[in-house]
Amino acid sequence: MEAVSSMELSLSEDILRPLFNASSSTELEQALEILIESSRSASGRSELALKDVLPIVLRLCQSLPYPSGRQYLILSLKLLRNLCAGERLNQNSFIEQNGAVIVSNVLRSVEKASDPNSNSGILRTGVQVLANVSLAGEEHQRVIWDRLFPEKLLLLGTVRSREVCDPFCMVLYACIDGNPKLVVELCGETGLPIVAEVLRTASAVGFGEDWLKLLLSRICLESVHLPLLFKMLYGVEGTESPFSSEQAFLLKIVSEILSERIREISVPHDSALFVLEIFKKAVGVVDSVQRVKSGLPTGSSLIDVLGYSLTILRDICAQDGVVDHGPIPMDLVDKLVSNGLLTLLLCLLRVLEPPAMIRKAMKQSELQEPISSRSSKQCVYIGFRRDIVAVIGNCAYGRKHVQDEIRERNALLLMLQQCVADDENPFLREWGIWSVRNLLEGNDENQRVVAELEVQGTVDVPELTEIGLRVEVDHKTHRAKLVNLS
């Protein structure tokens, strides 16, 4: 009680008296707790706004020393957070009283005084105050941005706490949402390092809300800044992997965003081609790592970069139509194919050992291409074969020149062999059937080649009934023909 009394004695009467009057209390801690409870409701916030409590609380925050005044500081920030939750009078007062600077100075004092991660609760509450004010509109966002960008925002980004990361991402997104000028600033030379620090934090401690995804969607998929942000998250020289865990994490989140919003987002050409280059680089060094027996994420930054760049390409190739980012619209899938995507995928599929069901069903002497002449490489992660087949199938959808290229590369039988169940590649059969359907639809020559395939011993072409086709075998000639069930 002595410590409490001495702290109150150090505060001026013109701070304490309004708080005591508003709460009908005579003790500071009790007064703050009563006001926090009152500010939980809209009517309570409105009443406290009329009593002009917020400026007093801001002055209190300025007067409290840290760490000796920590217990009062956290209560004051909680009260500010509640007061600014949707109450326009309080939000306006916060801006008029220079609240953004006051709160950011409090947060900086907390960071300097000790390990900020041990004080993540008070830091989180302070960032939540800024987040609630930023939701008031463009004017409030602009003031917060001008007061804090870039140095103070960068400091907050370095706090490795999930509790701080979520509301901080909310502040960043709220400020740039609908404001192209601030998007440019955040994605510029002094702003992008802030996002990089946020990613390092989220990669280390995780995140619980969607603000990070909304932020990265705006920066990496709706804008053209994925390559630069990826390069900022460079790995440490001398390590086994050429990629960092933060780079793998970034691609994981980008892949999730694209999968969730596949019909909403048009990926810029430069970003798509950059992902292809990442994939090529990962393929070039993946043989040096040991295969993992799990799906994505695997814990290996190299394999995760390989896998997530592949799933991003899968979803890019699933998007219909053209992406117009220049004077002449150009089909993005054609651009990827012309840059070697299809050639690389077919090569990878050929060097993988056949699916387990095919290996069991075929005798080595009956293979069209003997196993001994193949590299018996295994999938580097569970689902690798499926993801390759999915990209090929999406590339072939409605593109006759891609269908023809796969036939000309003698890869139709290879694709047919993917239409089987495989324990190490969940949904391989479904993706295989989808791919074969896309290869045959509207392409008489591909249908003819498949129908003339000679069945090799006990190897049968998987059923294609799901796509309205059936393979019938002439037992005398051992030739197959494709029959339309309709």
Side-chain angles (χ1 to χ4, degrees):
M1 182 63 74
E2 289 183 10
V4 172
S5 300
S6 63
M7 179 63 67
E8 292 186 17
L9 288 173
S10 69
L11 298 172
S12 64
E13 184 71 14
D14 59 349
I15 292 177
L16 294 174
R17 183 55 52 195
L19 295 176
F20 291 161
N21 290 339
S23 62
S24 301
S25 174
T26 58
E27 194 270 320
L28 180 58
E29 183 173 357
Q30 184 183 48
L32 291 172
E33 290 175 344
I34 290 172
L35 294 174
I36 288 171
E37 185 62 31
S38 177
S39 64
R40 293 183 187 277
S41 67
S43 60
R45 291 190 290 272
S46 179
E47 181 180 346
L48 293 177
L50 295 176
K51 293 180 179 180
D52 218 18
V53 168
L54 186 138
I56 303 301
V57 182
L58 285 174
R59 289 180 59 194
L60 176 60
C61 289
Q62 286 181 296
S63 304
L64 290 170
Y66 187 86
S68 59
R70 184 183 187 281
Q71 66 184 103
Y72 301 104
L73 199 52
I74 183 65
L75 291 174
S76 300
L77 290 174
K78 286 181 178 180
L79 179 53
L80 283 175
R81 177 192 63 193
N82 290 1
L83 290 172
C84 293
E87 174 52 58
R88 191 58 180 246
L89 287 177
N90 285 330
Q91 292 167 330
N92 291 342
S93 179
F94 183 89
I95 294 299
E96 292 164 3
Q97 300 296 323
N98 206 23
V101 172
I102 293 173
V103 170
S104 66
N105 287 339
V106 169
L107 299 183
R108 176 176 286 187
S109 68
V110 172
E111 290 175 310
K112 288 183 176 180
S114 60
D115 177 11
N117 296 322
S118 65
N119 289 290
S120 59
I122 193 170
L123 292 173
R124 173 183 173 84
T125 307
V127 176
Q128 286 175 332
V129 175
L130 299 175
N132 283 347
V133 176
S134 70
L135 294 177
E138 184 176 348
E139 180 183 351
H140 297 70
Q141 295 157 3
R142 182 81 244 189
V143 171
I144 290 175
W145 191 266
D146 289 342
R147 299 292 189 274
L148 305 184
F149 181 85
E151 291 86 359
K152 293 178 181 179
L153 291 180
L154 183 61
L155 282 173
L156 290 174
T158 61
V159 179
R160 304 294 185 236
S161 165
R162 176 173 173 172
E163 291 184 330
V164 176
C165 184
D166 285 333
F168 183 56
C169 288
M170 178 182 175
V171 172
L172 293 178
Y173 181 76
C175 287
I176 69 169
D177 186 35
N179 195 324
K181 185 179 291 187
L182 296 190
V183 173
V184 171
E185 289 188 26
L186 184 61
C187 296
E189 193 173 307
T190 56
L192 215 51
I194 299 171
V195 183
E197 288 301 330
V198 170
L199 276 166
R200 291 188 178 99
T201 296
S203 175
V205 301
F207 64 100
E209 300 171 8
D210 285 339
W211 297 109
L212 176 62
K213 284 188 174 182
L214 290 170
L215 186 64
L216 292 180
S217 176
R218 183 62 53 86
I219 293 171
C220 297
L221 292 174
E222 299 167 51
S223 300
V224 295
H225 305 289
L226 174 61
L228 184 55
L229 182 57
F230 185 86
K231 291 172 183 176
M232 282 188 173
L233 301 170
Y234 56 85
V236 179
E237 290 186 9
T239 57
E240 179 180 338
S241 173
F243 303 106
S244 69
S245 59
E246 292 85 1
Q247 288 175 322
F249 178 78
L250 171 59
L251 292 185
K252 174 181 181 290
I253 301 303
V254 169
S255 176
E256 290 177 359
I257 296 168
L258 186 56
S259 177
E260 293 164 359
R261 304 181 61 195
I262 195 166
R263 296 303 175 196
E264 303 173 31
I265 298 175
S266 296
V267 180
H269 281 202
D270 289 346
S271 297
L273 292 173
F274 178 73
V275 173
L276 175 57
E277 291 308 309
I278 293 173
F279 180 63
K280 289 179 179 178
K281 181 178 179 180
V283 167
V285 294
V286 75
D287 283 342
S288 63
V289 301
Q290 189 173 4
R291 171 181 176 270
V292 296
K293 296 182 179 180
S294 72
L296 299 173
T298 65
S300 163
S301 57
L302 172 56
I303 295 178
D304 286 347
V305 166
L306 174 77
Y308 287 121
S309 59
L310 186 57
T311 59
I312 292 171
L313 291 168
R314 176 199 66 200
D315 290 337
I316 289 174
C317 294
Q319 296 178 311
D320 293 331
V322 297
V323 183
D324 188 359
H325 288 286
I328 302 175
M330 188 175 193
D331 187 275
L332 184 51
V333 175
D334 287 344
K335 191 73 172 176
L336 291 168
V337 170
S338 67
N339 278 269
L341 173 62
L342 191 60
T343 301
L344 177 58
L345 294 176
L346 289 174
C347 179
L348 289 172
L349 199 56
R350 287 186 191 279
V351 299
L352 290 177
E353 62 182 12
M357 185 175 292
I358 295 292
R359 295 199 307 272
K360 292 175 182 177
M362 301 174 79
K363 297 178 181 178
Q364 182 169 324
S365 62
E366 295 173 333
L367 281 170
Q368 183 173 355
E369 184 182 357
I371 288 178
S372 59
S373 69
R374 297 172 180 248
S375 299
S376 56
K377 292 184 179 179
Q378 296 179 318
C379 293
V380 291
Y381 65 86
I382 292 178
F384 181 52
R385 179 194 301 278
R386 173 205 60 213
D387 293 339
I388 293 174
V389 172
V391 180
I392 296 173
N394 287 344
C395 285
Y397 180 77
R399 295 179 177 86
K400 189 173 184 300
H401 58 286
V402 175
Q403 299 168 354
D404 291 340
E405 182 176 347
I406 292 175
R407 182 188 69 249
E408 291 161 3
R409 292 179 178 275
N410 296 318
L412 287 177
L413 178 58
L414 179 67
M415 295 303 298
L416 285 167
Q417 290 176 342
Q418 313 309 314
C419 300
V420 295
D422 185 37
D423 290 341
E424 294 195 350
N425 288 276
F427 301 106
L428 173 64
R429 182 174 181 271
E430 288 76 10
W431 276 111
I433 290 173
W434 161 255
S435 300
V436 171
R437 178 258 187 209
N438 292 344
L439 288 169
L440 300 182
E441 185 178 49
N443 195 309
D444 295 339
E445 184 62 19
N446 280 4
Q447 292 186 28
R448 183 190 63 79
V449 170
V450 170
E452 292 179 354
L453 283 173
E454 182 176 351
V455 178
Q456 303 293 318
T458 60
V459 181
D460 201 353
V461 180
E463 282 194 16
L464 304 175
T465 54
E466 290 86 347
I467 59 173
L469 300 171
R470 181 175 69 246
V471 176
E472 292 186 352
V473 181
D474 187 321
H475 296 290
K476 293 182 179 179
T477 63
H478 298 288
R479 310 289 286 189
K481 62 180 180 179
L482 201 63
V483 177
N484 192 324
L485 292 178
S486 61

